[in-house]
Amino acid sequence: MSDDRNSRFPDAKADSSRVKHVPVTPQTQSPVYKLAFADDSFLCRDELRPVRLQLELLKPQLMLDEKGIESTVVMFGGARIPAPAEKAKARTKTLADLSHFYDEARIFAQKMTEKSKSTGGRRHVVVTGGGPGVMEAGNLGAVEAGGVSIGLNIVLPHEQAPNEYVTPELCFNFHYFAIRKMHFLMRAEAICVFPGGFGTLDEMFEALTLIQTGRMEPVPFLLFGRAFWESIINWDALADAGTISEQDLDLFKFVESADEAIAVIDAWNPAPARQNLPGRER
């Protein structure tokens, strides 16, 4: 983080250090005497939620800017999908059968990271949720390619640490799901969704909705595993019912392999955000 400043006033870090050496008095020991920005109890008050939201938006933004990262390739997918070598331990046969997508995610991330390295690590940088399963595979693939990858973790009761393959200086932790999802999409040049559960579906549908409604420019939107996605979502029924338009089914493509996904991304022709919603004409 840069400390370069054009100011004649003392910086916050210097004052934070100075207050540690003030005389011990009843006044200086009072909680209200703490500098506001260095007072955890104050920052955690309900009234400070807008400030915390802003901080969670700003911290990763500034860190990624300082690393020169311009664009990312987003990888969503289930935390419960095991590596093929571990599929015998899977809780269900379906999870065991889906284990090959761990390898596809790993290979995809590896190849995208090789492309990223050719840009000096500025573009095509893999970003995952930083957890196990498909997320781990994405970060592992980046390591295997000798590059960096981003992990956007969230504080959960049952997950205590990011996977070991996230680049440490690009490993972020969030309190607010909404801000985390913004960071997934702000630099996204492609979105890849592997089989998963509620979290994966939430991330997938929010991103699709942003593109559908013109709030986000279209990007390659790839669903790995047609059989899985068509077994859990009746996409055609949504279009037949009129709750989405036929054109909305063109917002994403099904792919089965890393190579197929990369071919779609390489052939992509950028398009502007939608100016209207098909099927919503008035």
Side-chain angles (χ1 to χ4, degrees), residues 18-70:
R18 290 188 183 104
V19 298
K20 295 177 182 177
H21 306 289
V22 299
V24 176
T25 70
Q27 291 77 23
T28 63
Q29 296 303 292
S30 169
V32 301
Y33 184 76
K34 289 182 179 180
L35 290 166
F37 58 80
D39 186 343
D40 289 345
S41 295
F42 175 66
L43 287 175
C44 289
R45 289 175 59 154
D46 285 348
E47 298 89 340
L48 270 290
R49 182 173 292 115
V51 175
R52 294 194 300 273
L53 286 162
Q54 185 177 22
L55 289 173
E56 284 212 341
L57 183 63
L58 275 173
K59 182 178 179 180
Q61 179 75 20
L62 294 173
M63 303 297 106
L64 293 173
D65 284 347
E66 289 173 8
K67 293 293 183 183
I69 294 175
E70 298 172 358

Side-chain angles (χ1 to χ4, degrees), residues 2-19:
S2 173
D3 287 324
D4 295 338
R5 294 172 355 112
N6 294 309
S7 174
R8 297 186 182 277
F9 295 108
D11 63 68
K13 184 181 291 186
D15 274 359
S16 293
S17 178
R18 290 188 183 104
V19 298

Side-chain angles (χ1 to χ4, degrees), residues 80-228:
R80 306 183 191 201
I81 293 179
E86 302 292 322
K87 70 178 184 178
K89 301 177 184 178
R91 189 169 60 86
T92 67
K93 181 180 182 301
T94 298
L95 283 173
D97 292 342
L98 291 171
S99 65
H100 71 282
F101 284 115
Y102 182 104
D103 267 351
E104 291 300 333
R106 179 181 60 80
I107 294 166
F108 174 79
Q110 186 182 88
K111 293 187 175 185
M112 289 308 305
T113 302
E114 289 168 355
K115 290 169 65 72
S116 177
K117 287 170 64 180
S118 71
T119 72
R122 302 179 72 86
R123 301 186 60 232
H124 322 304
V125 180
V126 166
V127 55
T128 79
V134 166
M135 295 173 280
E136 176 187 281
N139 297 120
L140 172 58
V143 168
E144 291 174 335
V148 302
S149 65
I150 303 166
L152 304 182
N153 290 81
I154 187 83
V155 178
L156 298 174
H158 54 281
E159 289 183 15
Q160 300 302 313
N163 72 65
E164 62 183 303
Y165 304 109
V166 181
T167 301
E169 59 267 29
L170 296 175
C171 188
F172 302 97
N173 202 15
F174 290 83
H175 173 65
Y176 296 105
F177 266 103
I179 301 299
R180 176 178 179 253
K181 285 193 281 189
M182 282 189 68
H183 276 294
F184 269 123
L185 301 180
M186 285 169 65
R187 286 174 164 81
E189 66 178 10
I191 298 170
C192 299
V193 190
F194 292 79
F198 284 169
T200 302
L201 291 168
D202 173 50
E203 292 158 345
M204 177 185 72
F205 278 119
E206 177 148 0
L208 276 176
T209 300
L210 289 170
I211 296 172
Q212 179 204 41
T213 57
R215 297 296 297 171
M216 178 178 172
E217 294 177 1
V219 297
F221 204 115
L222 309 174
L223 305 188
F224 277 74
R226 177 189 287 268
F228 173 82

